[in-house]
Amino acid sequence: MAVALDTPVADFQAAATSGQQVQLSALQGQQLVIYFYPKDSTPGCTTEGQGFRDHYPAFQAANTQVFGVSRDSLKSHENFKGKQQFPFELIADKDEELCQLFDVIKLKKLYGKEYLGVDRSTFLIDKHGVLRKEWRSVKVPGHVEAVLAAAQDLHND
């Protein structure tokens, strides 16, 4: 079942960079930003990741962990993370379990061809594991700042 606002997110476990296993239930007590992006090392995805990187200290100050998710391999993620110096982990969702949970696979068009791809989306989960905010079909400019403001507001509540 896909996530819904103001309801607990189903526990999940996923492989991430730095040899980590990310498990939602193990992160209780911290807020989470989970952002889904289409592909490593593409212009929009790089710009979005750099935004989260550049604002990472402010997310940390708001007790918020950041995770990027795409269907790329861990090897691709490690290269992308290293090249961009991301201080947060990237989750490899090759089997699309998280993509399905968060309902981010959408029909897209490129050069007139239709295909199923990841709809750039971001989710803010509170320290109790409840989905508090979602952004779908994200446009990159100004997005990270909006997510940070929401994380800070939630942290201060």
Side-chain angles (χ1 to χ4, degrees), residues 63-90:
N63 190 35
T64 305
Q65 290 292 329
V66 175
F67 294 98
V69 182
S70 81
R71 298 182 298 182
D72 293 298
S73 68
L74 278 174
K75 185 177 192 309
S76 174
H77 276 350
E78 291 288 4
N79 291 338
F80 186 40
K81 180 184 174 206
K83 188 172 181 188
Q84 299 303 326
Q85 299 179 317
F86 292 156
F88 50 84
E89 304 305 333
L90 300 177

Side-chain angles (χ1 to χ4, degrees), residues 48-157:
E48 184 180 25
Q50 289 169 338
F52 281 110
R53 175 196 68 200
D54 295 347
H55 290 83
Y56 190 70
F59 279 104
Q60 293 282 280
N63 190 35
T64 305
Q65 290 292 329
V66 175
F67 294 98
V69 182
S70 81
R71 298 182 298 182
D72 293 298
S73 68
L74 278 174
K75 185 177 192 309
S76 174
H77 276 350
E78 291 288 4
N79 291 338
F80 186 40
K81 180 184 174 206
K83 188 172 181 188
Q84 299 303 326
Q85 299 179 317
F86 292 156
F88 50 84
E89 304 305 333
L90 300 177
I91 295 172
D93 193 31
K94 292 198 67 77
D95 58 9
E96 297 181 2
E97 266 183 49
L98 287 182
C99 289
Q100 299 294 338
L101 176 63
F102 286 89
D103 191 28
V104 298
I105 301 289
K106 301 292 179 208
L107 193 60
K108 299 174 115 186
K109 265 191 175 161
L110 183 66
Y111 305 120
K113 286 193 191 294
E114 289 188 336
Y115 67 99
L116 287 174
V118 173
D119 183 39
R120 190 183 308 278
S121 304
T122 302
F123 301 87
L124 177 60
I125 301 170
D126 74 11
K127 63 185 178 187
H128 305 291
V130 175
L131 179 63
R132 292 299 178 193
K133 199 130 172 83
E134 63 181 15
W135 295 262
R136 293 185 180 271
S137 301
V138 165
K139 300 289 181 247
V140 173
H143 173 63
V144 171
E145 291 79 3
V147 175
L148 177 59
Q152 290 168 330
D153 286 349
L154 189 59
H155 177 62
N156 293 328
D157 273 354

